[in-house]
Amino acid sequence: MRLFVAGIVILFLALGSLLIGVGDVSWHALVTPSPDEQALQLLVISRIPRLLAVMLVGTSLGVAGLLLQMLVRNRFVEPSTAGSAESASMGLMVAAVLAPQLPVVGKMLVAAAFAMGGTALFLLILRRIPLRSVLIVPLVGLVLGSVFDSVTTFYAYRLDLLQSVNAWKTGDFSTILRGRYELLWLTLGLTCCAYVAADRFTVAGMGESFTTNLGMNYTRIMGLGLLIVSLVTAMVVVTVGMVPFLGLLVPNLVSMFTGDNARKAIPWVAVGGAGFVLLCDIIGRVVRFPYEIPGATIAGVLGSVLFLYVLLRRDARVG
Amino acid sequence: MSVESLVVERRPERTLLILGGVMVGVAVLFLLFGASGQWDFVLPFRGRKLATALLVGYAIAVSTVLFQTVTGNRVLTPAILGFDNLYVFIQTCLLYFLGSGKAASLDPRLQFGVEVLIMVAFSAVLFWGLFGGGGRSLHLVLLTGVVLGVLFRSLASFLQRLIDPNEFIFLQDRFFASFNNPDQELLVVAFVLTLGVSVVGFRMLKTFDVLVLGRETAINLGVDHQRTAAIILVLVAILVSVSSALVGPVTFFGLLVSNLAHTLVRTYRHALVLPAAALIAGVCLVAGQFVLEQVFAFNTSPRVIIDFVGGLVFIGMLMRRAPV
């Protein structure tokens, strides 16, 4: 029921999003018996794809963050604090340099392979580190990320690609048109996969021995989670660029009232993620109308402020 | 490590002497290498670069060691707490709001003054906001700093997207640490500031040594802990501003230097650790610059290499169960 109400709120945001822009689109023009041809075109080619891209990115990144948090068993990780996003952009860099003719799907696969490797390396390092504190984990992820970043920057600097690299790192929905975002539909499939396997991830979140005792293959669950997270991150980085903090913030806020049951949390995270990115995108489009501010920047600002709030409030419980 | 076996067994004073010798050697090589007789141009030009490198090395080394003393933690450095991103953000703001023409003609001393002030204010807010409450975990402070860093970075990257590519190139030169065009006036101001910090610090060396024993012990031994910590934090903020303003952000360099210093000079005495760290930093920067000029022919920035190596060292330290 509450989920339904949340859905309605998102729907209103979405309708608002369709009406914002430089081009003139109003309900009046659309619902009359002879709809305005130009407005309709604008809607179909630019506004609706953009809305879908925003929702898909929000949903999938939120769920990817949730999965990572369960697999690493730490509240403070998400694709951009586990080396996934940075290794994905490193993969993009490699693809851009070695095979510039590669189609988008190919680049995405290269980025996904790199993201997979980077995240796996992160998990391996964590196994070797004595965990004295919950916060060591994201710290290691951030440092590892900056190591990957330095490799990317090294090549970008030599090849004069710094600005393109910055574009991959900043999620921006203004370039989304029909035919340039369809890859993101795959993230929806992956999110559904995560939902189907939700109970397994919940169990894996309880630890290796617990999982094995229940007769499940821990490594396989980990592998599946890693695959979903890497693919989602790579797709998002390739199509719009990274949106920071989303995967950290939404699952943390959701788990405050649903607890750590993935089956219960995933729908909420999906709705919350979509809503958050939608809100950021709308703010970015309205603040300096008619110019736009990338949604990721708004997300970075809003997200880091909110995250600090959560972090400092939880301080009493975090050792 | 072969270097360790060479140096550690002897007395720290001797280690310092060896480091000093290496430093002088590297500096001479840097000044004289391949300078085919055009001394009147080459020497001042390279001398400026050398002075910048040494000053920056000194600032980073001293600020990191002092910071680690006051926080009692070998993994924490001022740079990791988001200073570098703040610097990038301030620079980007200046460029964006003034346009590259005006930003270039801005009096560097004024710009520097503004930067130092903002950095000191920011660090004051961060440190007292977090340490002032007492009982906050260090990791929390660290993560908070990192998150603030992300905040500044996202603001900076947003502004960068609004800047046209030609101006971006201008900005890029200011972003990445480079010793190629140190501004002379700036250098003088930076030197004076660093000297002032050093004088204050020199008179407190013994107090720093007591702080290493931990907060409670230091208080028991009659050190006004709160006042000392406050002084150290102001010194650190100034030094960090000096190094950032001169050459831009270098995230992990301080971490690298302070841990090498502690490895080579196994003593708690700041009178020995500080010079060792400063010498190591100087050697690394001058040698790194030398390699960049002669091998890579400027085709990359020192920051990238330092980030790469420093990040790996950081992770390695955690994996080796280094005392955190």
Side-chain angles (χ1 to χ4, degrees):
Chain A
M1 183 59 219
R2 273 191 303 183
L3 204 56
F4 180 72
V5 173
I8 298 285
V9 172
I10 301 269
L11 193 67
F12 271 105
L13 275 177
L15 291 178
S17 154
L18 289 179
L19 299 180
I20 297 171
V22 179
D24 194 30
V25 176
S26 66
W27 285 120
H28 183 71
L30 291 174
V31 290
T32 47
S34 54
D36 179 356
E37 203 53 45
Q38 223 182 344
L40 206 59
Q41 253 188 338
L42 190 64
L43 202 66
V44 172
I45 291 173
S46 156
R47 297 282 165 82
I48 291 180
R50 179 171 187 159
L51 173 66
L52 289 170
V54 165
M55 309 259 280
L56 287 170
V57 166
T59 299
S60 58
L61 274 185
V63 173
L66 182 74
L67 286 191
L68 257 183
Q69 283 159 28
M70 295 211 147
L71 297 177
V72 182
R73 304 176 67 196
N74 185 297
R75 279 254 162 265
F76 298 109
V77 287
E78 65 124 23
S80 61
T81 59
S84 320
E86 290 83 359
S87 45
S89 31
M90 193 162 91
L92 257 188
M93 185 80 211
V94 169
V97 172
L98 294 182
Q101 305 309 328
L102 215 58
V104 173
V105 176
K107 282 187 178 141
M108 190 280 289
L109 286 175
V110 174
F114 270 79
M116 192 93 189
T119 320
L121 182 65
F122 170 65
L123 292 173
L124 281 178
I125 290 172
L126 284 187
R127 287 197 160 191
R128 300 276 315 277
I129 289 181
L131 296 176
R132 276 185 213 75
S133 152
V134 185
L135 301 177
I136 279 281
V137 175
L139 196 62
V140 172
L142 286 161
V143 174
L144 189 64
S146 73
V147 171
F148 292 144
D149 258 351
S150 69
V151 176
T152 313
T153 313
F154 178 77
Y155 283 108
Y157 198 77
R158 301 193 85 159
L159 301 162
D160 247 343
L161 289 170
L162 264 184
Q163 238 170 333
S164 334
V165 172
N166 273 335
W168 301 334
K169 283 189 205 157
T170 316
D172 183 6
F173 296 94
S174 61
T175 55
I176 295 289
L177 294 171
R178 194 172 58 184
R180 291 193 55 184
Y181 79 103
E182 278 70 5
L183 198 61
L184 287 174
W185 282 110
L186 294 176
T187 63
L188 187 64
L190 291 168
T191 308
C192 293
C193 272
Y195 187 63
V196 169
D199 295 336
R200 292 197 181 92
F201 293 122
T202 307
V203 172
M206 312 235 186
E208 185 168 5
S209 44
F210 186 87
T211 313
T212 316
N213 278 343
L214 288 180
M216 286 195 265
N217 186 334
Y218 183 71
T219 321
R220 195 176 299 166
I221 300 175
M222 287 289 272
L224 177 67
L226 203 61
L227 186 68
I228 293 177
V229 170
S230 307
L231 279 170
V232 164
T233 308
M235 283 171 199
V236 171
V237 168
V238 169
T239 40
V240 292
M242 197 61 203
V243 183
F245 279 113
L246 165 73
L248 199 62
L249 198 70
V250 177
N252 268 306
L253 293 176
V254 166
S255 73
M256 280 180 186
F257 61 90
T258 65
D260 284 341
N261 180 341
R263 168 93 43 212
K264 271 191 192 152
I266 285 179
W268 276 105
V269 170
V271 169
F276 180 71
V277 181
L278 197 51
L279 189 68
C280 290
D281 191 50
I282 290 177
I283 293 176
R285 286 153 79 182
V286 173
V287 168
R288 287 189 63 220
F289 192 84
Y291 303 106
E292 288 198 18
I293 294 174
T297 305
I298 306 286
V301 176
L302 270 186
S304 38
V305 171
L306 272 169
F307 180 61
L308 282 176
Y309 171 73
V310 172
L311 191 71
L312 300 179
R313 232 198 47 179
R314 291 173 58 104
D315 184 30
R317 275 175 290 160
V318 173
Chain B
M1 273 174 72
S2 55
V3 184
E4 264 182 73
S5 56
L6 268 178
V7 187
V8 169
E9 299 312 314
R10 304 180 183 159
R11 298 210 315 280
E13 287 84 354
R14 202 177 297 181
T15 311
L16 275 186
L17 273 180
I18 294 173
L19 277 176
V22 173
M23 180 72 251
V24 171
V26 171
V28 170
L29 185 71
F30 180 82
L31 280 177
L32 305 183
F33 184 85
S36 45
Q38 301 174 331
W39 299 114
D40 50 344
F41 167 73
V42 169
L43 278 185
F45 180 66
R46 290 188 178 181
R48 265 204 304 277
K49 279 195 220 176
L50 184 68
T52 311
L54 293 180
L55 192 61
V56 167
Y58 180 86
I60 292 177
V62 172
S63 64
T64 309
V65 171
L66 287 185
F67 193 73
Q68 292 182 342
T69 295
V70 79
T71 53
N73 182 314
R74 290 267 173 89
V75 180
L76 215 53
T77 75
I80 293 180
L81 290 185
F83 276 99
D84 52 341
N85 289 319
L86 178 68
Y87 168 81
V88 171
F89 176 57
I90 297 171
Q91 292 279 37
T92 316
C93 275
L94 281 175
L95 192 81
Y96 178 72
F97 291 114
L98 299 174
S100 66
K102 269 199 193 135
S105 64
L106 195 70
D107 184 356
R109 281 169 301 187
L110 180 73
Q111 181 192 325
F112 189 40
V114 170
E115 267 162 18
V116 171
L117 276 178
I118 295 180
M119 292 236 181
V120 172
F122 168 74
S123 59
V125 168
L126 183 70
F127 297 143
W128 276 284
L130 291 166
F131 289 103
R136 295 250 192 224
S137 86
L138 267 179
H139 292 303
L140 182 82
V141 177
L142 199 49
L143 197 61
T144 307
V146 171
V147 173
L148 284 172
V150 173
L151 179 66
F152 295 129
R153 197 171 52 209
S154 46
L155 286 170
S157 74
F158 147 63
L159 285 177
Q160 282 164 34
R161 304 202 48 157
L162 303 181
I163 293 171
D164 73 286
N166 295 329
E167 296 201 357
F168 189 77
I169 287 172
F170 172 80
L171 188 64
Q172 189 178 305
D173 283 344
R174 296 208 151 186
F175 261 175
F176 292 99
S178 93
F179 302 98
N180 303 323
N181 46 3
D183 187 284
Q184 210 158 353
E185 287 171 341
L186 201 61
L187 207 57
V188 173
V189 180
F191 179 75
V192 170
L193 270 178
T194 312
L195 198 67
V197 167
S198 304
V199 170
V200 174
F202 186 76
R203 294 172 51 194
M204 296 177 66
L205 277 176
K206 291 278 186 290
T207 321
F208 297 155
D209 291 350
V210 181
L211 281 195
V212 177
L213 301 171
R215 184 167 171 272
E216 283 73 16
T217 319
I219 292 172
N220 280 339
L221 291 172
V223 172
D224 183 347
H225 187 274
Q226 206 157 9
R227 183 172 158 271
T228 316
I231 292 174
I232 288 187
L233 292 178
V234 171
L235 298 186
V236 166
I238 294 172
L239 287 176
V240 168
S241 322
V242 165
S243 69
S244 298
L246 276 181
V247 294
V250 270
T251 315
F252 292 110
F253 187 58
L255 190 76
L256 207 66
V257 168
S258 87
N259 282 289
L260 270 178
H262 282 294
T263 311
L264 292 182
V265 185
R266 305 207 165 196
T267 170
Y268 61 90
R269 286 172 52 203
H270 285 79
L272 295 167
V273 176
L274 288 174
L279 284 172
I280 291 170
V283 170
C284 285
L285 285 180
V286 177
Q289 184 63 17
F290 181 74
V291 169
L292 273 182
E293 285 182 16
Q294 309 296 346
V295 179
F296 284 109
F298 290 132
N299 218 347
T300 183
S301 75
R303 177 194 170 183
V304 170
I305 295 166
I306 290 168
D307 258 3
F308 184 75
V309 179
L312 292 180
V313 168
F314 182 87
I315 291 172
M317 272 170 52
L318 287 174
M319 286 170 85
R320 268 187 39 208
R321 296 165 182 262
V324 173

